[in-house]
Amino acid sequence: MKKMKIIILVPDGVGVRNYLFSNFASNLLIEGNEVLIYHKLSESAVEEIKYNKPEINNFKVIPDFIESPKARLLRESLAYARLLRNKSILKNKTILKFWSPSKKGIKKKGLYFLAEFLGYILSKSYKLILKTDKIYECEIAKSRTIESIKETLLNFNPDFILNLHQRTPVISPIINTSKKLNIKTGTVIFSWDNVPKARLISRYDFYFVWSDLMKNQLLELYSEISPSQIKISGTPQFEFYSYDNLYDERKIFLNKYGLDENKKTICFSGNDISSPYDAIYLNDICEEIVKLDKKIRPQILFRRCPVDMSDRFDSTLKKFKEFVFPVNPDWKTGKESGDSFATIYPTTNDNRLLVNTVKHSDIVINLGSTMAHDFAILDKPCLYLNYDPIDNSKFKVEDVFNFEHFRSMKNIDAVGWINNKNEISNKIFEAINTPNKVGKDRKDWLEKIVLHPIEGNSNKLIEKIKECTSVS
Protein backbone atom coordinates (compact mmCIF):
# COMPACT_ATOMS: atom_id res chain seq x y z
CA MET A 1 0.00 0.00 0.00
CA LYS A 2 1.19 3.50 -0.82
CA LYS A 3 2.75 5.34 2.10
CA MET A 4 1.13 8.60 3.06
CA LYS A 5 2.54 12.06 3.63
CA ILE A 6 0.53 13.69 6.37
CA ILE A 7 0.62 17.11 7.99
CA ILE A 8 -0.70 17.16 11.54
CA LEU A 9 -1.81 20.63 12.60
CA VAL A 10 -1.19 21.28 16.30
CA PRO A 11 -2.57 24.76 17.04
CA ASP A 12 -2.08 24.53 20.81
CA GLY A 13 -0.73 22.27 23.52
CA VAL A 14 -4.05 20.66 24.41
CA GLY A 15 -3.92 18.15 21.54
CA VAL A 16 -0.39 16.99 22.34
CA ARG A 17 -1.48 14.41 24.89
CA ASN A 18 -4.18 12.71 22.85
CA TYR A 19 -2.49 12.56 19.46
CA LEU A 20 1.27 12.85 19.96
CA PHE A 21 1.76 11.09 23.32
CA SER A 22 -0.66 8.32 22.37
CA ASN A 23 0.21 5.74 19.71
CA PHE A 24 -1.42 7.71 16.90
CA ALA A 25 1.51 9.68 15.43
CA SER A 26 4.02 6.97 16.37
CA ASN A 27 2.05 4.27 14.56
CA LEU A 28 1.79 6.46 11.46
CA LEU A 29 5.58 6.66 11.42
CA ILE A 30 6.09 2.97 12.22
CA GLU A 31 4.06 2.16 9.12
CA GLY A 32 6.54 4.19 7.06
CA ASN A 33 4.35 7.24 6.52
CA GLU A 34 5.95 10.68 6.46
CA VAL A 35 4.61 13.11 9.07
CA LEU A 36 5.12 16.85 9.50
CA ILE A 37 4.01 18.44 12.77
CA TYR A 38 2.90 21.93 11.72
CA HIS A 39 2.44 23.59 15.07
CA LYS A 40 1.98 26.63 17.26
CA LEU A 41 3.72 25.19 20.32
CA SER A 42 6.40 26.59 22.56
CA GLU A 43 9.99 25.43 22.12
CA SER A 44 9.84 23.63 25.45
CA ALA A 45 6.74 21.71 24.35
CA VAL A 46 8.51 20.58 21.18
CA GLU A 47 11.49 19.45 23.23
CA GLU A 48 9.18 17.47 25.54
CA ILE A 49 7.72 15.69 22.51
CA LYS A 50 11.09 14.97 20.93
CA TYR A 51 12.52 13.63 24.19
CA ASN A 52 9.65 11.26 24.90
CA LYS A 53 8.73 10.42 21.32
CA PRO A 54 12.04 10.63 19.42
CA GLU A 55 10.47 9.10 16.32
CA ILE A 56 8.43 12.32 15.96
CA ASN A 57 11.14 14.67 14.72
CA ASN A 58 9.78 16.72 11.82
CA PHE A 59 8.43 20.03 13.13
CA LYS A 60 7.63 23.37 11.55
CA VAL A 61 6.14 26.46 13.20
CA ILE A 62 2.86 27.84 11.89
CA PRO A 63 3.39 31.51 10.99
CA ASP A 64 1.81 34.12 13.23
CA PHE A 65 -1.71 35.00 12.20
CA ILE A 66 -3.83 37.91 13.33
CA GLU A 67 -7.37 38.11 12.05
CA SER A 68 -8.39 41.34 10.43
CA PRO A 69 -11.15 43.20 12.31
CA LYS A 70 -13.57 42.22 9.56
CA ALA A 71 -12.64 38.52 9.77
CA ARG A 72 -12.97 38.56 13.57
CA LEU A 73 -16.37 40.18 13.36
CA LEU A 74 -17.54 37.64 10.77
CA ARG A 75 -16.29 34.69 12.82
CA GLU A 76 -17.96 35.87 16.02
CA SER A 77 -21.19 36.75 14.19
CA LEU A 78 -21.30 33.29 12.63
CA ALA A 79 -20.69 31.67 16.01
CA TYR A 80 -23.54 33.62 17.59
CA ALA A 81 -25.84 32.91 14.64
CA ARG A 82 -25.19 29.18 14.87
CA LEU A 83 -25.72 29.18 18.64
CA LEU A 84 -29.11 30.80 18.14
CA ARG A 85 -29.92 28.26 15.47
CA ASN A 86 -28.63 25.33 17.55
CA LYS A 87 -30.73 26.48 20.49
CA SER A 88 -33.82 26.32 18.28
CA ILE A 89 -33.00 23.01 16.60
CA LEU A 90 -32.04 21.23 19.81
CA LYS A 91 -34.70 22.97 21.88
CA ASN A 92 -32.10 23.67 24.52
CA LYS A 93 -31.78 27.21 25.88
CA THR A 94 -28.49 26.40 27.65
CA ILE A 95 -26.78 26.44 24.24
CA LEU A 96 -26.48 30.21 24.62
CA LYS A 97 -24.41 29.71 27.79
CA PHE A 98 -21.53 29.01 25.41
CA TRP A 99 -21.71 32.62 24.25
CA SER A 100 -19.73 34.32 26.99
CA PRO A 101 -17.27 36.69 25.30
CA SER A 102 -15.09 39.05 27.26
CA LYS A 103 -16.47 42.56 26.88
CA LYS A 104 -13.76 44.47 28.68
CA GLY A 105 -12.91 47.69 26.89
CA ILE A 106 -14.78 49.81 24.38
CA LYS A 107 -13.43 47.95 21.32
CA LYS A 108 -14.57 44.54 22.57
CA LYS A 109 -17.94 45.87 23.63
CA GLY A 110 -18.37 47.28 20.14
CA LEU A 111 -17.19 44.08 18.49
CA TYR A 112 -19.60 41.86 20.37
CA PHE A 113 -22.50 44.30 20.08
CA LEU A 114 -22.10 44.12 16.29
CA ALA A 115 -21.52 40.36 16.36
CA GLU A 116 -24.73 39.79 18.28
CA PHE A 117 -26.65 42.12 15.97
CA LEU A 118 -25.32 40.54 12.77
CA GLY A 119 -25.52 37.05 14.25
CA TYR A 120 -29.19 37.53 15.03
CA ILE A 121 -29.87 38.54 11.43
CA LEU A 122 -27.83 35.63 10.04
CA SER A 123 -29.64 33.13 12.27
CA LYS A 124 -32.87 33.78 10.39
CA SER A 125 -31.54 32.10 7.22
CA TYR A 126 -29.18 29.14 6.97
CA LYS A 127 -28.41 30.08 3.38
CA LEU A 128 -27.24 33.44 4.69
CA ILE A 129 -25.01 31.69 7.23
CA LEU A 130 -23.42 29.60 4.45
CA LYS A 131 -22.89 32.68 2.29
CA THR A 132 -21.23 34.46 5.21
CA ASP A 133 -18.99 31.41 5.73
CA LYS A 134 -17.75 32.00 2.17
CA ILE A 135 -17.20 35.70 2.85
CA TYR A 136 -15.15 34.77 5.93
CA GLU A 137 -13.02 32.41 3.81
CA CYS A 138 -12.42 35.17 1.28
CA GLU A 139 -11.31 37.48 4.08
CA ILE A 140 -8.93 34.82 5.44
CA ALA A 141 -7.44 34.42 1.95
CA LYS A 142 -6.14 38.01 2.24
CA SER A 143 -3.87 37.09 5.16
CA ARG A 144 -0.17 37.83 4.81
CA THR A 145 0.60 34.32 6.04
CA ILE A 146 -0.87 32.66 2.95
CA GLU A 147 2.33 32.74 0.87
CA SER A 148 4.44 31.23 3.64
CA ILE A 149 1.83 28.51 4.22
CA LYS A 150 1.59 27.81 0.50
CA GLU A 151 5.37 27.35 0.30
CA THR A 152 5.29 24.86 3.19
CA LEU A 153 2.45 22.86 1.67
CA LEU A 154 4.03 22.74 -1.78
CA ASN A 155 7.40 21.68 -0.38
CA PHE A 156 5.97 18.86 1.73
CA ASN A 157 3.26 17.95 -0.78
CA PRO A 158 0.98 16.10 1.67
CA ASP A 159 -1.69 13.56 0.84
CA PHE A 160 -3.71 14.70 3.83
CA ILE A 161 -3.83 17.45 6.45
CA LEU A 162 -5.29 16.65 9.86
CA ASN A 163 -6.25 19.39 12.32
CA LEU A 164 -6.22 18.47 16.03
CA HIS A 165 -8.54 21.23 17.24
CA GLN A 166 -11.46 22.57 15.23
CA ARG A 167 -11.98 25.87 17.04
CA THR A 168 -8.63 27.64 16.61
CA PRO A 169 -8.53 30.59 14.13
CA VAL A 170 -4.77 30.21 13.43
CA ILE A 171 -5.62 27.12 11.38
CA SER A 172 -8.00 28.94 9.01
CA PRO A 173 -5.37 30.21 6.53
CA ILE A 174 -3.88 26.71 6.27
CA ILE A 175 -7.21 25.10 5.45
CA ASN A 176 -8.00 27.94 3.06
CA THR A 177 -4.71 27.40 1.22
CA SER A 178 -5.14 23.62 1.22
CA LYS A 179 -8.44 23.91 -0.60
CA LYS A 180 -6.85 26.00 -3.35
CA LEU A 181 -4.09 23.40 -3.73
CA ASN A 182 -6.62 20.54 -3.77
CA ILE A 183 -5.10 18.92 -0.69
CA LYS A 184 -7.55 16.83 1.31
CA THR A 185 -8.21 18.03 4.83
CA GLY A 186 -9.84 16.70 7.96
CA THR A 187 -10.36 17.68 11.55
CA VAL A 188 -10.98 15.74 14.70
CA ILE A 189 -13.77 17.02 16.90
CA PHE A 190 -11.67 17.46 19.98
CA SER A 191 -14.05 16.81 22.86
CA TRP A 192 -17.40 15.18 23.56
CA ASP A 193 -19.23 18.50 24.09
CA ASN A 194 -17.79 20.49 21.18
CA VAL A 195 -20.29 20.14 18.32
CA PRO A 196 -23.17 22.30 19.66
CA LYS A 197 -20.79 25.10 20.68
CA ALA A 198 -20.67 26.49 17.12
CA ARG A 199 -16.88 26.80 16.97
CA LEU A 200 -16.27 24.69 13.90
CA ILE A 201 -14.53 27.52 12.08
CA SER A 202 -13.36 26.06 8.77
CA ARG A 203 -14.99 23.51 6.49
CA TYR A 204 -13.10 20.30 5.81
CA ASP A 205 -13.32 17.39 3.43
CA PHE A 206 -13.66 14.99 6.37
CA TYR A 207 -14.61 15.04 10.05
CA PHE A 208 -13.40 12.46 12.56
CA VAL A 209 -15.84 11.97 15.42
CA TRP A 210 -16.03 9.96 18.63
CA SER A 211 -19.29 8.11 18.02
CA ASP A 212 -22.59 7.77 16.18
CA LEU A 213 -23.95 10.30 18.66
CA MET A 214 -21.46 12.94 17.54
CA LYS A 215 -21.97 12.09 13.88
CA ASN A 216 -25.71 12.63 14.23
CA GLN A 217 -25.11 15.98 15.96
CA LEU A 218 -22.92 17.17 13.09
CA LEU A 219 -25.50 16.14 10.52
CA GLU A 220 -28.28 17.84 12.46
CA LEU A 221 -26.47 21.13 13.00
CA TYR A 222 -24.38 21.38 9.81
CA SER A 223 -26.63 20.38 6.94
CA GLU A 224 -23.91 21.23 4.40
CA ILE A 225 -21.86 18.27 5.69
CA SER A 226 -22.78 14.93 4.11
CA PRO A 227 -22.75 11.58 5.96
CA SER A 228 -19.89 10.34 3.75
CA GLN A 229 -17.65 13.12 5.07
CA ILE A 230 -18.00 11.99 8.69
CA LYS A 231 -15.80 9.15 9.92
CA ILE A 232 -16.39 7.49 13.28
CA SER A 233 -12.89 6.93 14.64
CA GLY A 234 -13.27 7.38 18.40
CA THR A 235 -10.55 9.31 20.21
CA PRO A 236 -7.12 8.31 21.56
CA GLN A 237 -7.92 10.32 24.70
CA PHE A 238 -8.65 7.26 26.82
CA GLU A 239 -6.28 4.67 25.43
CA PHE A 240 -3.59 5.41 28.02
CA TYR A 241 -5.54 3.19 30.41
CA SER A 242 -4.51 0.23 28.24
CA TYR A 243 -0.78 1.02 28.57
CA ASP A 244 0.33 -1.39 31.30
CA ASN A 245 3.74 0.29 31.61
CA LEU A 246 2.11 3.43 33.04
CA TYR A 247 0.75 1.81 36.18
CA ASP A 248 2.56 1.97 39.52
CA GLU A 249 1.96 -0.21 42.54
CA ARG A 250 -0.71 1.23 44.83
CA LYS A 251 1.61 1.66 47.80
CA ILE A 252 4.34 3.34 45.75
CA PHE A 253 1.99 5.80 44.04
CA LEU A 254 -0.11 6.77 47.06
CA ASN A 255 2.77 6.99 49.53
CA LYS A 256 4.66 9.27 47.14
CA TYR A 257 1.97 11.93 47.59
CA GLY A 258 1.34 11.35 51.30
CA LEU A 259 -1.71 9.10 50.98
CA ASP A 260 -2.28 5.87 52.92
CA GLU A 261 -2.58 2.76 50.75
CA ASN A 262 -4.86 1.16 53.35
CA LYS A 263 -7.55 3.85 53.24
CA LYS A 264 -10.42 4.33 50.84
CA THR A 265 -9.62 7.13 48.44
CA ILE A 266 -11.86 9.78 46.90
CA CYS A 267 -10.60 11.66 43.86
CA PHE A 268 -11.96 15.20 43.72
CA SER A 269 -11.30 16.56 40.24
CA GLY A 270 -11.62 20.27 39.59
CA ASN A 271 -12.81 22.17 36.54
CA ASP A 272 -11.29 25.36 35.17
CA ILE A 273 -12.02 28.71 36.80
CA SER A 274 -15.15 29.22 34.69
CA SER A 275 -16.69 26.75 37.13
CA PRO A 276 -16.90 29.00 40.22
CA TYR A 277 -18.12 26.54 42.86
CA ASP A 278 -15.32 23.96 42.81
CA ALA A 279 -13.43 25.33 45.81
CA ILE A 280 -16.67 25.55 47.80
CA TYR A 281 -17.54 21.97 46.89
CA LEU A 282 -14.16 20.70 48.05
CA ASN A 283 -14.59 22.55 51.33
CA ASP A 284 -18.14 21.17 51.75
CA ILE A 285 -16.87 17.63 51.24
CA CYS A 286 -14.07 18.16 53.73
CA GLU A 287 -16.40 19.63 56.33
CA GLU A 288 -18.58 16.52 56.13
CA ILE A 289 -15.73 14.02 56.08
CA VAL A 290 -13.93 15.56 59.04
CA LYS A 291 -16.97 14.70 61.18
CA LEU A 292 -16.31 10.99 60.65
CA ASP A 293 -14.28 8.78 62.93
CA LYS A 294 -10.70 8.59 61.72
CA LYS A 295 -10.94 4.80 61.47
CA ILE A 296 -13.52 5.00 58.69
CA ARG A 297 -12.67 8.41 57.28
CA PRO A 298 -11.69 8.23 53.59
CA GLN A 299 -8.87 10.35 52.21
CA ILE A 300 -9.12 12.76 49.30
CA LEU A 301 -6.78 12.85 46.34
CA PHE A 302 -7.22 16.30 44.81
CA ARG A 303 -6.49 16.74 41.11
CA ARG A 304 -7.02 20.29 39.88
CA CYS A 305 -7.78 21.17 36.27
CA PRO A 306 -4.44 21.53 34.43
CA VAL A 307 -5.23 25.08 33.32
CA ASP A 308 -6.43 26.25 36.75
CA MET A 309 -3.45 28.00 38.32
CA SER A 310 -5.58 29.88 40.85
CA ASP A 311 -5.18 29.87 44.63
CA ARG A 312 -8.88 29.27 45.28
CA PHE A 313 -8.33 25.83 46.87
CA ASP A 314 -5.40 26.83 49.09
CA SER A 315 -7.27 27.59 52.32
CA THR A 316 -9.17 24.29 52.20
CA LEU A 317 -6.04 22.29 51.41
CA LYS A 318 -4.28 23.89 54.34
CA LYS A 319 -7.19 23.51 56.77
CA PHE A 320 -7.78 19.82 55.98
CA LYS A 321 -4.23 18.75 55.12
CA GLU A 322 -4.60 15.73 57.41
CA PHE A 323 -6.72 13.90 54.83
CA VAL A 324 -6.60 15.97 51.60
CA PHE A 325 -3.58 15.47 49.36
CA PRO A 326 -3.01 17.33 46.08
CA VAL A 327 -1.60 15.40 43.15
CA ASN A 328 -1.15 18.25 40.72
CA PRO A 329 -1.29 17.65 36.96
CA ASP A 330 2.14 17.80 35.36
CA TRP A 331 1.53 20.45 32.73
CA LYS A 332 3.98 23.18 31.84
CA THR A 333 3.91 26.63 30.31
CA GLY A 334 6.51 27.75 27.81
CA LYS A 335 7.78 31.11 29.01
CA GLU A 336 9.12 32.28 25.69
CA SER A 337 5.65 33.16 24.41
CA GLY A 338 2.82 35.17 25.87
CA ASP A 339 0.09 33.05 24.31
CA SER A 340 -1.02 30.73 27.11
CA PHE A 341 -3.21 28.60 24.86
CA ALA A 342 -0.23 27.91 22.62
CA THR A 343 2.24 27.30 25.39
CA ILE A 344 0.48 25.23 28.05
CA TYR A 345 1.07 21.55 27.42
CA PRO A 346 1.09 18.22 29.25
CA THR A 347 4.22 16.22 29.99
CA THR A 348 4.24 12.48 29.41
CA ASN A 349 4.51 12.11 33.18
CA ASP A 350 0.98 13.48 33.49
CA ASN A 351 -0.29 10.40 31.64
CA ARG A 352 1.17 8.30 34.46
CA LEU A 353 -0.29 10.60 37.12
CA LEU A 354 -3.75 10.45 35.59
CA VAL A 355 -4.02 6.70 35.06
CA ASN A 356 -2.69 6.00 38.56
CA THR A 357 -5.07 8.55 40.06
CA VAL A 358 -7.95 6.63 38.51
CA LYS A 359 -6.48 3.20 39.25
CA HIS A 360 -5.86 3.87 42.93
CA SER A 361 -8.96 5.93 43.75
CA ASP A 362 -12.24 4.27 44.64
CA ILE A 363 -14.58 6.98 43.35
CA VAL A 364 -14.45 10.41 41.73
CA ILE A 365 -16.50 13.48 42.65
CA ASN A 366 -16.86 16.58 40.45
CA LEU A 367 -19.22 18.96 38.70
CA GLY A 368 -19.99 17.32 35.36
CA SER A 369 -16.40 16.50 34.42
CA THR A 370 -15.21 14.15 31.69
CA MET A 371 -13.37 12.34 34.49
CA ALA A 372 -16.59 10.34 34.89
CA HIS A 373 -15.59 8.60 31.67
CA ASP A 374 -11.99 8.04 32.81
CA PHE A 375 -13.29 6.27 35.92
CA ALA A 376 -15.86 4.31 33.92
CA ILE A 377 -13.05 2.79 31.88
CA LEU A 378 -11.82 1.09 35.05
CA ASP A 379 -15.44 0.50 36.11
CA LYS A 380 -15.42 2.91 39.04
CA PRO A 381 -18.32 5.18 40.05
CA CYS A 382 -18.59 8.93 39.70
CA LEU A 383 -20.65 11.24 41.87
CA TYR A 384 -21.79 14.45 40.21
CA LEU A 385 -22.36 17.46 42.47
CA ASN A 386 -25.86 18.75 41.82
CA TYR A 387 -26.57 21.70 44.09
CA ASP A 388 -25.91 25.44 44.23
CA PRO A 389 -23.80 26.21 47.31
CA ILE A 390 -24.51 29.94 46.92
CA ASP A 391 -28.03 31.35 46.81
CA ASN A 392 -29.05 33.76 44.05
CA SER A 393 -25.90 33.21 42.00
CA LYS A 394 -25.96 33.73 38.24
CA PHE A 395 -24.14 30.39 37.83
CA LYS A 396 -26.73 27.63 38.12
CA VAL A 397 -25.79 23.96 38.40
CA GLU A 398 -29.13 23.12 36.80
CA ASP A 399 -27.87 24.79 33.62
CA VAL A 400 -24.73 22.67 33.60
CA PHE A 401 -26.62 19.39 33.57
CA ASN A 402 -28.99 20.71 30.94
CA PHE A 403 -26.08 21.18 28.53
CA GLU A 404 -26.59 19.23 25.34
CA HIS A 405 -23.86 16.63 25.96
CA PHE A 406 -25.55 15.52 29.18
CA ARG A 407 -28.67 14.56 27.23
CA SER A 408 -26.67 11.47 26.31
CA MET A 409 -27.39 10.28 29.88
CA LYS A 410 -31.12 10.04 29.26
CA ASN A 411 -32.52 6.70 30.50
CA ILE A 412 -29.02 5.68 31.64
CA ASP A 413 -27.99 5.34 35.29
CA ALA A 414 -24.53 6.69 34.55
CA VAL A 415 -23.49 8.48 37.76
CA GLY A 416 -24.57 9.04 41.33
CA TRP A 417 -25.87 12.45 42.39
CA ILE A 418 -25.08 14.59 45.44
CA ASN A 419 -28.09 16.90 45.65
CA ASN A 420 -27.12 18.82 48.79
CA LYS A 421 -24.32 19.11 51.31
CA ASN A 422 -26.05 16.89 53.86
CA GLU A 423 -25.99 13.94 51.44
CA ILE A 424 -22.23 13.97 50.93
CA SER A 425 -21.13 11.37 53.48
CA ASN A 426 -23.93 8.89 52.76
CA LYS A 427 -23.45 9.13 48.99
CA ILE A 428 -19.70 8.66 49.34
CA PHE A 429 -20.05 5.52 51.46
CA GLU A 430 -22.73 4.16 49.15
CA ALA A 431 -20.43 4.58 46.14
CA ILE A 432 -17.42 3.12 47.97
CA ASN A 433 -19.21 0.15 49.55
CA THR A 434 -21.59 -0.76 46.72
CA PRO A 435 -19.91 0.57 43.56
CA ASN A 436 -21.99 -1.65 41.27
CA LYS A 437 -25.20 0.03 42.46
CA VAL A 438 -24.08 3.65 41.91
CA GLY A 439 -24.05 4.69 38.27
CA LYS A 440 -24.38 1.04 37.31
CA ASP A 441 -24.80 1.92 33.61
CA ARG A 442 -21.54 3.91 33.41
CA LYS A 443 -20.08 1.48 30.87
CA ASP A 444 -23.18 1.84 28.69
CA TRP A 445 -22.83 5.62 28.80
CA LEU A 446 -19.15 5.37 27.88
CA GLU A 447 -19.96 3.13 24.90
CA LYS A 448 -22.51 5.70 23.74
CA ILE A 449 -19.96 8.53 24.00
CA VAL A 450 -16.89 6.94 22.38
CA LEU A 451 -16.23 4.13 19.91
CA HIS A 452 -15.16 0.81 21.43
CA PRO A 453 -12.77 -0.88 21.85
CA ILE A 454 -11.13 2.24 23.25
CA GLU A 455 -7.58 0.90 23.06
CA GLY A 456 -7.88 0.66 19.27
CA ASN A 457 -8.87 4.26 18.58
CA SER A 458 -5.41 5.43 17.41
CA ASN A 459 -5.30 2.75 14.76
CA LYS A 460 -8.94 3.32 13.87
CA LEU A 461 -8.16 6.97 13.11
CA ILE A 462 -5.23 5.90 10.91
CA GLU A 463 -7.51 3.47 9.04
CA LYS A 464 -10.07 6.21 8.45
CA ILE A 465 -7.42 8.61 7.15
CA LYS A 466 -6.29 5.93 4.70
CA GLU A 467 -9.87 5.63 3.49
CA CYS A 468 -10.02 9.37 2.97
CA THR A 469 -6.78 9.54 0.99
CA SER A 470 -7.95 6.74 -1.32
CA VAL A 471 -11.15 8.57 -2.22
CA SER A 472 -10.76 10.15 -5.63
Side-chain angles (χ1 to χ4, degrees):
M1 182 178 289
K2 178 191 171 185
K3 303 303 179 184
M4 298 182 291
K5 298 182 73 174
I6 295 180
I7 291 180
I8 299 177
L9 303 179
V10 189
D12 54 40
V14 179
V16 169
R17 177 180 182 269
N18 293 356
Y19 294 91
L20 301 187
F21 288 163
S22 71
N23 286 331
F24 170 65
S26 297
N27 285 352
L28 275 173
L29 290 161
I30 288 170
E31 289 184 357
N33 301 298
E34 192 173 346
V35 176
L36 170 65
I37 308 299
Y38 203 15
H39 69 90
K40 205 66 179 165
L41 302 171
S42 64
E43 291 180 11
S44 55
V46 172
E47 290 306 311
E48 175 77 14
I49 297 164
K50 287 182 177 178
Y51 178 78
N52 291 283
K53 290 281 191 174
E55 66 274 18
I56 305 175
N57 53 33
N58 192 9
F59 293 80
K60 187 174 181 62
V61 178
I62 295 172
D64 291 335
F65 167 66
I66 299 175
E67 283 179 308
S68 68
K70 180 179 178 181
R72 175 75 182 275
L73 175 60
L74 289 169
R75 178 169 60 82
E76 298 291 359
S77 300
L78 285 164
Y80 189 65
R82 285 188 176 275
L83 286 174
L84 289 172
R85 182 175 178 274
N86 294 353
K87 172 192 169 186
S88 176
I89 292 173
L90 299 171
K91 296 178 174 58
N92 189 340
K93 63 182 181 180
T94 68
I95 293 290
L96 287 183
K97 294 289 182 181
F98 298 120
W99 180 257
S100 56
S102 170
K103 296 184 179 181
K104 293 181 180 179
I106 295 176
K107 288 185 178 180
K108 284 191 175 180
K109 284 182 179 179
L111 167 68
Y112 288 110
F113 174 82
L114 286 173
E116 289 171 9
F117 176 74
L118 292 174
Y120 177 79
I121 294 172
L122 294 175
S123 70
K124 301 302 180 181
S125 166
Y126 198 61
K127 288 183 179 180
L128 195 53
I129 287 177
L130 296 181
K131 286 181 180 179
T132 309
D133 275 334
K134 297 294 184 183
I135 296 171
Y136 175 74
E137 288 187 8
C138 290
E139 190 65 24
I140 292 297
K142 300 174 184 177
S143 169
R144 295 178 180 178
T145 65
I146 293 292
E147 286 305 312
S148 174
I149 290 167
K150 183 177 180 180
E151 182 181 359
T152 296
L153 300 188
L154 289 173
N155 287 341
F156 190 75
N157 191 26
D159 299 296
F160 198 82
I161 296 178
L162 179 69
N163 179 24
L164 298 189
H165 209 309
Q166 79 284 345
R167 72 179 184 189
T168 314
V170 72
I171 296 301
S172 300
I174 302 173
I175 303 306
N176 188 287
T177 307
S178 301
K179 290 178 181 178
K180 293 178 180 178
L181 296 175
N182 293 316
I183 299 170
K184 292 175 181 175
T185 63
T187 187
V188 301
I189 303 299
F190 185 79
S191 192
W192 67 308
D193 63 347
N194 281 179
V195 174
K197 292 182 177 180
R199 291 292 176 177
L200 181 59
I201 297 174
S202 299
R203 295 297 168 267
Y204 299 80
D205 297 305
F206 299 99
Y207 302 83
F208 301 96
V209 299
W210 288 30
S211 61
D212 279 306
L213 178 68
M214 192 178 284
K215 177 178 180 177
N216 292 334
Q217 283 185 334
L218 265 181
L219 292 173
E220 186 175 17
L221 300 181
Y222 293 86
S223 59
E224 70 273 27
I225 299 175
S226 69
S228 62
Q229 291 179 273
I230 305 173
K231 307 296 181 181
I232 301 173
S233 59
T235 174
Q237 178 168 326
F238 303 109
E239 73 175 31
F240 297 97
Y241 295 98
S242 66
Y243 297 178
D244 291 339
N245 64 312
L246 290 180
Y247 290 103
D248 296 324
E249 292 182 17
R250 177 177 175 84
K251 180 177 181 179
I252 291 174
F253 177 74
L254 293 180
N255 288 180
K256 181 177 180 180
Y257 296 99
L259 292 104
D260 185 341
E261 75 272 17
N262 297 310
K263 289 187 175 183
K264 295 296 184 179
T265 303
I266 302 163
C267 172
F268 180 90
S269 60
N271 294 299
D272 64 31
I273 57 174
S274 67
S275 177
Y277 296 156
D278 287 55
I280 302 173
Y281 285 138
L282 179 59
N283 192 74
D284 281 357
I285 293 167
C286 291
E287 286 184 347
E288 293 304 302
I289 287 179
V290 77
K291 298 174 184 177
L292 302 173
D293 188 285
K294 288 185 178 181
K295 293 180 181 179
I296 62 170
R297 182 189 297 164
Q299 59 193 349
I300 298 175
L301 186 162
F302 169 57
R303 178 179 168 92
R304 68 169 65 235
C305 175
V307 296
D308 181 3
M309 308 297 182
S310 71
D311 61 358
R312 58 182 177 152
F313 300 99
D314 289 1
S315 60
T316 298
L317 294 175
K318 183 178 180 180
K319 183 178 179 181
F320 298 102
K321 62 182 179 181
E322 183 181 355
F323 61 89
V324 184
F325 304 90
V327 180
N328 291 327
D330 193 359
W331 287 53
K332 295 181 178 178
T333 302
K335 299 297 184 183
E336 67 272 14
S337 170
D339 185 352
S340 61
F341 287 103
T343 60
I344 191 166
Y345 63 93
T347 66
T348 52
N349 181 56
D350 192 57
N351 299 331
R352 180 177 293 276
L353 289 178
L354 181 57
V355 300
N356 281 287
T357 291
V358 178
K359 175 71 174 178
H360 301 304
S361 297
D362 296 282
I363 65 172
V364 65
I365 302 176
N366 55 55
L367 177 63
S369 167
T370 315
M371 284 284 279
H373 299 314
D374 292 75
F375 273 72
I377 291 169
L378 299 188
D379 202 16
K380 298 187 178 187
C382 171
L383 295 175
Y384 273 166
L385 293 151
N386 190 34
Y387 66 95
D388 294 310
I390 298 176
D391 293 331
N392 303 317
S393 172
K394 291 182 179 179
F395 186 92
K396 301 292 184 184
V397 168
E398 180 184 8
D399 292 336
V400 173
F401 293 115
N402 280 324
F403 286 160
E404 189 64 26
H405 55 290
F406 287 117
R407 287 186 172 182
S408 60
M409 301 172 70
K410 187 177 181 180
N411 301 322
I412 297 176
D413 183 11
V415 300
W417 299 91
I418 297 176
N419 297 310
N420 59 66
K421 183 179 178 180
N422 295 331
E423 292 184 357
I424 289 173
S425 293
N426 288 338
K427 289 296 179 73
I428 285 173
F429 280 114
E430 182 184 12
I432 287 175
N433 296 327
T434 57
N436 293 330
K437 293 183 179 179
V438 176
K440 65 182 185 299
D441 300 331
R442 52 185 170 266
K443 288 278 191 179
D444 294 336
W445 190 33
L446 184 64
E447 289 182 11
K448 192 174 183 181
I449 294 298
V450 60
L451 180 70
H452 279 55
I454 284 174
E455 60 270 17
N457 280 184
S458 278
N459 288 333
K460 178 62 70 173
L461 178 55
I462 293 173
E463 290 173 13
K464 294 299 180 180
I465 291 173
K466 290 177 181 177
E467 290 177 13
C468 296
T469 57
S470 65
V471 176
S472 59

